[in-house]
């Protein structure tokens, strides 16, 4: 019995090794890992990316119809993009907030996040997590001596962990071909204190040659892996087969509609009709059947009708609806076309419909926070080495806000009825357009001082003296 599993068990394994020093000392093992990633892991990642882009492989690559004269439509349905974009928007549609209790440190972290467009960067990480089941981030200092972080291509990146139960990262690997020379493969390895630049021009042995070596000062592997879940599965990976079935069903429906236009016309009976007359009738879309006398002298019967494959409309449409519903159910994403989903429902009632997605979000959020703390731990390390001030990573507060419709009006009205009052800072924090309430209060105070009327007390004093002299 053949194995119908879509991806090999090797397609999503973690790479493990004893230590970074031993790995650099045994470059053949490093080369084997790169080759393994190219052969087993990259095809899975490429397939997941193809489905996200709407290039659904099964419907586009399968040999579906043998008859050349029949229609062969290949309809792809981008459920994958719908799932990932919905989850991305739900998680970070409202940008996550990071803050530190020390205002000076808080300001430094805000500056770093602004330089790196952290909101967009975090959103890209969440999207990669959803598509591939993992995402990678690289930290570095640029020529302006700024701390920067960027996303890496998942298809060309992996992290190597030690062989302990803690699975500590010992190296991050990024490899890519030269844009104008496919024979040259560049392999860059980051350990906890060095960056190694290897190159190989042998496509068969992949023998690595060290081209450059330099230090970095992050005191940790600057490539961070963001896992989507324990098994590093993408959010729609489980339903790829269901997407294929839906593509096939819709394509068959389209083929039927096209083939109906090319149905065979069958004329029964002894008809006095030549080819030229039949062609004229076809152009006029009208058939006049004139029968000939039969052997018994009586007029024979004639009939014309098309032959085509019968289509079970209700059964086929119910089948496609069931497939679409299963895709939404198993990805924990709502069907927005469901008339019972939205409408005039309150935010609280919608939370129950998103209960399954909430469970997924809690898992993704915990893993994302863990990787984020690794990011700020490395930032703290390099800031400390550069005498730019350090901080305790555990004091950083990371807050996710689900992008969910809220009845804020009802909540505020209930709060006011109960006699509650809010500070100005809390009131401003409710507004989504205000990123930092404290900064906004400072701006308001500065504007008030600027607009405050000024008085020339010397002028008033002189006027008082003039009045006194006149009185005398």
């Amino acid at each position: 019995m053949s194995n119908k599993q879509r991806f090999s068990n090797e397609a999503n394994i973690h790479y493990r090794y004893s230590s970074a020093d031993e790995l650099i000392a045994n470059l053949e093992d490093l080369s084997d890992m790169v080759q393994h990633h190219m052969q087993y892991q990259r095809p899975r990642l490429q397939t997941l990316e193809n489905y996200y882009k709407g290039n659904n492989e099964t419907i586009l690559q399968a040999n579906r119809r043998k008859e050349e004269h029949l229609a062969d439509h290949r309809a792809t349905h981008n459920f994958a993009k719908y799932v990932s974009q919905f989850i991305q928007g739900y998680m970070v549609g409202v940008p996550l907030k990071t803050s530190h209790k020390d205002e000076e440190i808080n300001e430094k972290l805000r500056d770093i996040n602004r330089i790196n467009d952290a909101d967009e960067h975090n959103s890209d990480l969440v999207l990669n997590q959803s598509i591939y089941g993992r995402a990678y981030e690289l930290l570095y200092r640029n020529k302006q001596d700024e701390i920067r972080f960027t996303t890496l291509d998942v298809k060309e990146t992996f992290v190597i962990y030690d062989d302990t139960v803690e699975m500590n990262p010992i190296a991050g690997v990024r490899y890519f071909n030269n844009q104008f020379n496919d024979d040259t493969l560049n392999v860059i390895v980051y350990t906890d204190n060095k960056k190694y630049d290897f190159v190989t021009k042998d496509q068969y042995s992949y023998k690595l040659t060290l081209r450059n070596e330099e230090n970095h000062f992050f005191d940790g592997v600057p490539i961070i892996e963001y896992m989507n879940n324990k098994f590093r599965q993408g959010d729609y990976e489980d339903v790829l087969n269901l997407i294929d079935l839906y593509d096939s069903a819709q394509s068959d429906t389209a083929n039927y509609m096209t083939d109906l236009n090319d149905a065979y016309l069958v004329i029964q009976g002894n008809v006095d009709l030549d080819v030229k007359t039949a062609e004229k009738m076809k152009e006029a879309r009208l058939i006049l059947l004139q029968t000939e006398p039969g052997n018994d002298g009586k007029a024979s019967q004639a009939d014309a009708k098309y032959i085509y494959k019968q289509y079970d409309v209700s059964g086929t449409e119910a089948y496609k609806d069931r497939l679409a519903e299963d895709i939404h159910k198993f990805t924990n994403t709502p069907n927005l076309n469901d008339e019972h989903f939205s409408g005039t429902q309150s935010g609280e009632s919608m939370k129950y419909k998103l209960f399954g997605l909430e469970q997924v979000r809690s898992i993704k959020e915990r893993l994302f926070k863990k990787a984020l703390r690794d990011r700020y731990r490395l930032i703290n390390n390099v800031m400390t080495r550069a005498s730019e001030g350090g901080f305790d990573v555990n004091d950083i507060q990371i807050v996710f806000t689900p992008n969910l419709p809220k009845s804020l009006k009802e909540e505020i009205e209930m709060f006011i009825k109960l006699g509650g009052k809010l500070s100005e800072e809390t009131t401003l924090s409710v507004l989504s357009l205000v990123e930092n309430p404290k900064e906004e209060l400072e701006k308001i105070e500065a504007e008030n001082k600027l607009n405050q009327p000024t008085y020339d007390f010397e002028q008033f004093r002189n006027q008082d003296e003039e009045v006194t002299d006149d009185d005398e």
Side-chain angles (χ1 to χ4, degrees):
M1 182 177 179
S2 60
N3 185 8
K4 299 296 183 179
Q5 187 173 319
R6 184 183 289 263
F7 301 121
S8 165
N9 291 330
E10 298 289 315
N12 208 8
I13 63 171
H14 291 282
Y15 294 105
R16 312 284 293 271
Y17 211 78
S18 55
S19 69
D21 292 336
E22 291 190 21
L23 179 66
I24 299 301
N26 296 275
L27 293 180
E28 290 184 1
D29 294 338
L30 175 61
S31 176
D32 289 342
M33 290 182 186
V34 173
Q35 293 180 67
H36 183 278
H37 190 274
M38 296 174 65
Q39 181 177 355
Y40 293 101
Q41 303 229 358
R42 181 187 278 184
R44 167 186 168 271
L45 300 170
Q46 186 63 60
T47 293
L48 294 173
E49 181 180 295
N50 289 342
Y51 274 79
Y52 177 80
K53 292 180 177 179
N55 299 321
N56 301 356
E57 294 179 350
T58 300
I59 190 67
L60 294 178
Q61 298 175 7
N63 184 14
R64 303 189 73 247
R65 310 203 77 175
K66 297 180 180 180
E67 301 88 345
E68 293 183 0
H69 67 282
L70 294 179
D72 188 15
H73 297 297
R74 307 293 180 102
T76 63
H77 299 81
N78 208 336
F79 281 101
K81 177 175 286 187
Y82 172 86
V83 170
S84 289
Q85 288 189 341
F86 189 94
I87 293 177
Q88 176 194 27
Y90 186 64
M91 282 196 65
V92 289
V94 178
L96 64 89
K97 297 181 179 179
T98 56
S99 59
H100 193 278
K101 60 183 181 180
D102 187 317
E103 186 56 34
E104 184 179 351
I105 297 299
N106 201 30
E107 184 62 31
K108 289 182 179 180
L109 293 178
R110 278 200 297 265
D111 289 340
I112 292 174
N113 288 337
R114 286 170 182 166
I115 291 172
N116 289 279
D117 295 322
D119 292 341
E120 180 182 359
H121 174 78
N122 293 332
S123 181
D124 289 341
L125 288 173
V126 170
L127 180 61
N128 282 350
Q129 278 184 303
S130 180
I131 297 173
Y132 306 104
R134 60 183 102 159
Y136 295 100
E137 173 184 78
L138 171 66
L139 282 81
Y140 63 97
R141 286 186 79 109
N142 62 11
K143 294 181 179 179
Q144 289 73 38
D145 215 22
E146 297 171 329
I147 299 175
R148 304 301 301 265
F149 42 81
T150 185
T151 56
L152 295 176
D153 189 344
V154 179
K155 302 186 300 298
E156 299 176 345
T157 311
F158 59 91
V159 172
I160 305 171
Y161 299 90
D162 64 19
D163 52 12
T164 67
V165 294
E166 295 179 348
M167 279 190 65
N168 299 305
I170 60 172
V173 179
R174 173 175 172 252
Y175 66 90
F176 55 93
N177 287 103
N178 187 293
Q179 184 178 2
F180 302 103
N181 184 1
D182 292 338
D183 294 335
T184 301
L185 182 69
N186 298 276
V187 180
I188 301 177
V189 180
Y190 297 86
T191 64
D192 60 353
N193 56 11
K194 287 185 179 294
K195 172 187 174 183
Y196 299 91
D197 189 356
F198 297 97
V199 66
T200 175
K201 295 184 179 180
D202 189 345
Q203 293 183 344
Y204 300 99
S205 66
Y206 283 93
K207 184 178 180 181
L208 299 176
T209 302
L210 181 62
R211 188 165 56 180
N212 187 35
E213 174 184 343
E214 61 185 59
N215 295 322
H216 68 76
F217 303 98
F218 285 97
D219 292 334
V221 179
I223 293 182
I224 301 173
E225 180 174 10
Y226 289 73
M227 292 192 293
N228 195 45
N229 48 56
K230 178 180 179 181
F231 300 100
R232 299 199 299 179
Q233 280 190 305
D235 288 326
Y236 54 82
E237 188 170 349
D238 284 341
V239 297
L240 291 180
N241 292 337
L242 293 178
I243 295 174
D244 291 340
L245 290 175
Y246 191 88
D247 287 345
S248 179
Q250 289 285 40
S251 298
D252 288 341
T253 301
N255 289 336
Y256 163 79
M257 300 302 293
T258 302
D259 291 341
L260 181 60
N261 296 329
D262 297 328
Y264 290 100
L265 175 63
V266 177
I267 300 177
Q268 294 177 324
N270 189 12
V271 181
D272 184 10
L273 189 67
D274 56 38
V275 176
K276 290 185 178 180
T277 303
E279 290 178 350
K280 292 181 179 180
M281 289 183 181
K282 182 178 180 181
E283 292 177 359
R285 305 182 68 83
L286 176 68
I287 298 179
L288 296 175
L289 299 180
Q290 181 179 356
T291 60
E292 293 182 346
N295 295 328
D296 56 359
K298 297 181 179 180
S300 60
Q301 293 183 346
D303 187 20
K305 59 184 177 181
Y306 282 100
I307 294 180
Y308 58 89
K309 183 179 179 180
Q310 296 299 315
Y311 174 46
D312 180 8
V313 177
S314 60
T316 302
E317 294 303 313
Y319 170 68
K320 290 187 288 189
D321 290 342
R322 188 167 64 251
L323 284 175
E325 190 62 31
D326 284 345
I327 292 172
H328 289 293
K329 178 171 66 176
F330 295 126
T331 57
N332 291 295
T333 54
N335 184 357
L336 297 181
N337 292 327
D338 182 3
E339 60 182 6
H340 302 294
F341 176 74
S342 55
T344 58
Q345 298 185 44
S346 66
E348 288 299 318
S349 62
M350 291 187 67
K351 284 183 180 179
Y352 288 100
K353 292 184 177 293
L354 295 171
F355 183 76
L357 183 57
E358 269 294 294
Q359 311 316 305
V360 174
R361 184 188 67 83
S362 62
I363 297 172
K364 293 163 71 77
E365 183 178 312
R366 285 194 295 270
L367 291 172
F368 201 91
K369 282 183 177 180
K370 179 181 177 182
L372 272 182
R373 295 194 184 281
D374 288 339
R375 175 203 295 177
Y376 290 110
R377 176 178 56 81
L378 295 178
I379 290 176
N380 171 60
N381 292 344
V382 76
M383 287 177 63
T384 302
R385 290 285 295 271
S387 299
E388 297 174 355
F391 55 89
D392 189 348
V393 178
N394 295 322
D395 290 335
I396 294 179
Q397 297 295 323
I398 303 172
V399 179
F400 282 83
T401 305
N403 191 14
L404 187 69
K406 294 182 180 179
S407 181
L408 189 59
K409 178 181 177 182
E410 296 178 4
E411 186 177 351
I412 293 176
E413 287 177 350
M414 180 63 67
F415 180 75
I416 294 175
K417 287 180 180 179
L418 294 175
K421 294 182 179 180
L422 295 175
S423 66
E424 291 187 38
E425 182 177 346
T426 303
T427 303
L428 289 173
S429 66
V430 174
L431 299 176
S432 60
L433 65 151
V434 177
E435 180 180 354
N436 189 326
K438 288 185 178 180
E439 283 187 358
E440 190 65 24
L441 286 173
E442 292 174 358
K443 291 179 182 178
I444 294 173
E445 184 179 355
E447 288 180 357
N448 290 337
K449 289 182 179 179
L450 184 63
N451 297 326
Q452 185 175 1
T454 58
Y455 300 96
D456 190 348
F457 292 102
E458 186 67 27
Q459 179 182 355
F460 290 146
R461 190 178 299 110
N462 294 335
Q463 290 178 356
D464 290 342
E465 291 177 355
E466 291 176 1
V467 171
T468 303
D469 294 339
D470 291 341
D471 291 341
E472 291 179 354

